[in-house]
Amino acid sequence: MPPTMATGMPTNTSRAEELKLLANEAFKAHKYSQAIDLYTQAIEANSDNAVYWANRAFAHTKLEEYGSAILDSTKAIEIDPKYSKGYYRRGAAYLGLGKFKEALKDFQQVKKLCPNDPDAAKKLKECEKAVMKLKFEEAIAVPQSEKVSIADSIDYHAIDVEPQYAGARIEGDVVTLDFVKKMMDDFKNQKCLHKRYAYQIVLQTREMLRALPSLVDINVPNGKHFTVCGDVHGQFYDLLNIFELNGLPSEDSPYLFNGDFVDRGSFSVEVILTLFAFKCMSPSAIYLSRGNHESKSMNKIYGFEGEVRSKLSDTFVELFTEVFCCLPLAHVINEKVLVVHGGLFSVDGVKLSDIREIDRFCEPPEEGLMCELLWSDPQPQLGRGPSKRGVGLSFGADVTKRFLQDNSLDLVVRSHEVKNDGYEIEHDGKLITVFSAPNYCDQMGNKGAFIQFEAPELKPNIVTFSAVPHPDVKLGIIKFYNAILSFCYTLLAEG
């Protein structure tokens, strides 16, 4: 049994092929973590087969582990520089990170290796358009110091509402519960909110968010409860289901939505306007935290920007970009529970005061405390490791324990990762991931969850729920990205 070039260990090619076929079946059943484990076993049996590395890369992509996907596809290319699927999978991973220029280079290589493949040519052309658009925007970009607030140029009072408009209306400047209910009902029936009222909601929310610190303290009185939700990702009908199960946001039943309100799902406009409207109605009824998808670069790739242009206008794209920069980065409930979108930090000794002092009014940087709050993930191993996503880091139970001790806290609640049951308890019970987008991307088959806390104990009560039906709607860049992944499915079937 000859050794592999990569590991020097004996190869078992027949066993490796069996494992690959099992992994392919797991992948097709949307069991991506299981597929990764099986591809890993195939690689351990025969690490010189580029197909195994490329297929594992695609499974990582489905779990949004783009950093791992790039490493695996690069390994596939090293083994076989003429292996087109390796370049395609790496291009898809770069695309997921918003690195259009790097993705373009890989798609160009695919076209070079497969000149007669019409699908590859189509994807290359679409990526070229995206890069050209990016270059144009970079060319006309105004330096940050010279930027003028788009919000300051909008006077929603001056916008006329046509007499024939039959949708929800705000009387004066006060957003009422009756208005929010009517608006949600209109959205449920795929009707639009007039731009005058959409501007009013977004601008009023901006004023509230700007006044908040980067770390918000929440006080839940004894005997009262508080609900934390994770990623919603434009799944408006599942958001309505959360309210059906747990009640509408109110001062007696407050919520914290922990980032990633938009992108991926096709009803992100409806989600964000609903959450913002509740914030306008009663600021203490709902708290909103920034996720990594509340950013300009993510919104370009994963659908929100295109959806906003389609349903509202180009001006709203700029306005949402500005307002997202006002969102707080973290919340602390009764000085006991820290809630952040992503996770903890690359260094020990970070205090809550350090989070509170972060200047958050910008696009997320690629490193530092703000980046790590939005992007990091827990890991089962102790210590710290590189991020599977290619941004932020992975941190172990010892890191969580030290952070909690340093800040006299009991628990970290975070979101950011799809979980089969909608949640996962890790790090000796000191960290909970909550994810509130069931059947994520209409294909993951996961449940959603939210967490109820009741003061003073703040013992987490986790409620899970399944996805509900929604209209079949897909927009713009979502179609483009799905087309990239669809073509990768074809390559998987061939390999």
Side-chain angles (χ1 to χ4, degrees), residues 2 34 63 81 92 96 105 141 146 193 203 278 310 325 336 366 395 398 454 486:
Q34 181 182 346
L63 293 178
K105 291 178 183 177
E146 299 175 19
L193 179 68
L203 289 169
F278 275 115
S310 173
C325 291
K336 290 184 177 181
E366 294 189 2
F395 60 96
D398 54 333
E454 184 172 338
S486 176

Side-chain angles (χ1 to χ4, degrees), residues 414-429:
R414 45 90 63 180
S415 303
H416 195 41
E417 284 185 284
V418 61
K419 298 295 181 181
N420 286 338
D421 294 324
Y423 73 97
E424 186 172 356
I425 301 173
E426 301 174 79
H427 292 184
D428 303 317

Side-chain angles (χ1 to χ4, degrees), residues 112-187:
K112 182 178 178 181
L113 293 170
C114 307
N116 299 319
D117 188 326
D119 204 12
K122 181 181 178 183
K123 302 303 179 297
L124 174 60
K125 188 173 182 180
E126 289 171 337
C127 195
E128 285 173 338
K129 286 182 180 178
V131 172
M132 288 297 292
K133 181 181 178 183
L134 185 64
K135 288 181 177 178
F136 175 74
E137 290 174 349
E138 289 174 349
I140 64 172
V142 177
Q144 188 69 34
S145 59
E146 299 175 19
K147 281 190 175 180
V148 178
S149 168
I150 189 71
D152 294 338
S153 69
I154 300 167
D155 180 10
Y156 63 83
H157 295 96
I159 300 174
D160 292 328
V161 179
E162 300 79 5
Q164 64 269 27
Y165 173 70
R169 292 173 178 261
I170 302 173
E171 301 299 333
D173 288 331
V174 179
V175 175
T176 65
L177 179 58
D178 286 342
F179 163 79
V180 180
K181 286 181 175 179
K182 167 65 173 167
M183 181 187 70
M184 289 193 298
D185 192 56
D186 286 347
F187 286 161

